[in-house]
Amino acid sequence: MFVDSHCHVDFHSYDEDREAVLNRARAAGVGMMLEICGGDIARGSLDIGMRIVDREPDIYGAVGVHPHDAAAYDPSLEAKLLDLMTHPKVIAWGEIGLDYYYDRSPRDVQRRVFARQMTLARERQLPIILHIRDADEDMIAMLRDYWTGVERPGIFHCFSGSWKLMEAGVELGFHISFSGNVTFRKNHELREIARAVPRERLLIETDCPFLSPEPYRGKRNEPVRVIEVARQLAQLHEMDVADLGRLTTMNFCRLFRLEAAAPSAVTTAKA
């Protein structure tokens, strides 16, 4: 089966057909999804995402404050995150990180909030899901300061960075996840980076509703299209797409200590 290791099915663009979207993915062999619940704090994504995690047996949750929302981080929001982290299906802290492309929160605030969330995640022995955009050097420096020696580091989500960033991530023990942008026709360098990632560190995702892969580019993305990402990585690694699906599923389950065979009855261990 396939795993969508990063999706935002809480977005309002799915309000009219969310169940059909999920069922399309399941029918195609997408057996597990990781819902990133904190994609838009102001819109209520934490609460909406967690309701989906509660309702759907094959969907797990990650909870954190996105760098776009770092300026909104305060003690009450931190307390809410810590409460949500006790949920048995919350398996990661994220997505968190640095975004110097949009700069929707000041960079010093982004760094402070990122450091705080890494500290809390490390105390709880949770992997982190990283958002990194145009911030490679600061990201590498902060990970080396705060995240060296962690048993289960986490994921570089929707990788679009440099060779140096990928190599640092692998060195630090992270999994590298690719989304629909690896299929874009002009993204030759990203495909070469994806080819170089060790197989045991590969993951696939959609980041839906964003970044729909070729040949669906420009349309709303959804979890079933993670198979198109798998198809591209399978070609790069000279594998059958089903084998790539099994490989990335095993990588995902090993990282999060999940049982791949029966997602509805999975037990998780956070320590």
Side-chain angles (χ1 to χ4, degrees), residues 4-44:
D4 186 350
S5 69
H6 193 110
C7 59
H8 299 276
V9 291
D10 60 280
F11 271 54
H12 290 314
S13 57
Y14 300 111
D15 285 352
E16 299 299 319
D17 64 344
R18 184 173 289 109
E19 200 58 35
V21 165
L22 297 179
N23 286 336
R24 274 195 291 275
R26 292 162 179 150
V30 181
M32 279 189 279
M33 300 163 234
L34 182 57
E35 159 66 22
I36 309 301
C37 301
D40 189 344
I41 299 293
R43 186 182 51 80

Side-chain angles (χ1 to χ4, degrees), residues 158 179-181 184 206-213 217 219 221 229:
C158 190
S179 185
N181 56 343
F184 295 172
T206 57
D207 197 20
C208 66
F210 312 108
L211 292 174
S212 212
R217 190 174 182 183
K219 301 178 181 179
N221 203 2
V229 180

Side-chain angles (χ1 to χ4, degrees), residues 152-177:
R152 296 183 298 144
I155 301 172
F156 279 23
H157 126 76
C158 190
F159 191 86
S160 63
S162 63
W163 278 88
K164 181 178 179 180
L165 181 66
M166 180 273 286
E167 290 168 347
V170 170
E171 175 192 338
L172 287 161
F174 280 87
H175 288 67
I176 313 295
S177 183

Side-chain angles (χ1 to χ4, degrees), residues 118 122 138-148 172:
M118 280 195 287
R122 186 161 192 155
D138 279 1
M139 176 59 65
I140 293 168
M142 291 190 72
L143 290 175
R144 287 180 174 154
D145 284 345
Y146 288 90
W147 213 245
T148 300
L172 287 161

Side-chain angles (χ1 to χ4, degrees), residues 42-244:
R43 186 182 51 80
S45 61
L46 281 172
D47 296 320
I48 299 168
M50 286 305 301
R51 286 198 292 271
I52 294 169
V53 170
D54 269 330
R55 185 175 65 245
E56 305 293 343
D58 52 355
I59 298 181
Y60 295 88
V63 174
V65 173
H66 193 287
H68 290 344
D69 294 321
Y73 196 94
D74 61 16
S76 63
L77 181 51
E78 181 174 291
K80 181 170 186 173
L81 293 176
L82 292 173
D83 180 60
L84 292 173
M85 292 299 167
T86 66
H87 192 291
K89 290 179 70 186
V90 171
I91 59 175
W93 198 302
E95 64 189 278
I96 64 177
L98 302 172
D99 191 313
Y100 294 173
Y101 180 81
Y102 286 108
D103 280 328
R104 291 180 182 169
S105 288
R107 294 183 181 184
D108 62 328
V109 175
Q110 290 188 48
R111 290 189 290 269
R112 175 175 54 80
V113 171
F114 179 37
R116 177 61 179 167
Q117 292 186 91
M118 280 195 287
T119 298
L120 294 171
R122 186 161 192 155
E123 289 173 357
R124 285 149 186 81
Q125 299 182 22
L126 282 169
I128 55 176
I129 312 295
L130 291 179
H131 175 105
I132 312 160
R133 191 151 188 200
D134 287 5
D136 292 12
E137 295 296 331
D138 279 1
M139 176 59 65
I140 293 168
M142 291 190 72
L143 290 175
R144 287 180 174 154
D145 284 345
Y146 288 90
W147 213 245
T148 300
V150 172
E151 181 184 357
R152 296 183 298 144
I155 301 172
F156 279 23
H157 126 76
C158 190
F159 191 86
S160 63
S162 63
W163 278 88
K164 181 178 179 180
L165 181 66
M166 180 273 286
E167 290 168 347
V170 170
E171 175 192 338
L172 287 161
F174 280 87
H175 288 67
I176 313 295
S177 183
F178 293 92
S179 185
N181 56 343
V182 78
T183 73
F184 295 172
R185 292 187 179 93
K186 295 183 179 180
N187 241 345
H188 305 297
E189 184 176 4
L190 183 60
R191 282 188 285 277
E192 289 307 306
I193 292 173
R195 193 195 309 272
V197 173
R199 289 184 179 185
E200 67 273 14
R201 300 290 184 81
L202 279 173
L203 288 175
I204 54 176
E205 63 171 89
T206 57
D207 197 20
C208 66
F210 312 108
L211 292 174
S212 212
E214 302 286 1
Y216 306 101
R217 190 174 182 183
K219 301 178 181 179
R220 182 193 69 174
N221 203 2
E222 57 182 81
V224 69
R225 293 180 185 156
V226 77
I227 298 171
E228 299 304 321
V229 180
R231 201 181 313 280
Q232 178 68 82
L233 290 186
Q235 182 180 20
L236 294 173
H237 283 264
E238 299 181 341
M239 299 174 66
D240 181 82
V241 66
D243 290 337
L244 191 285

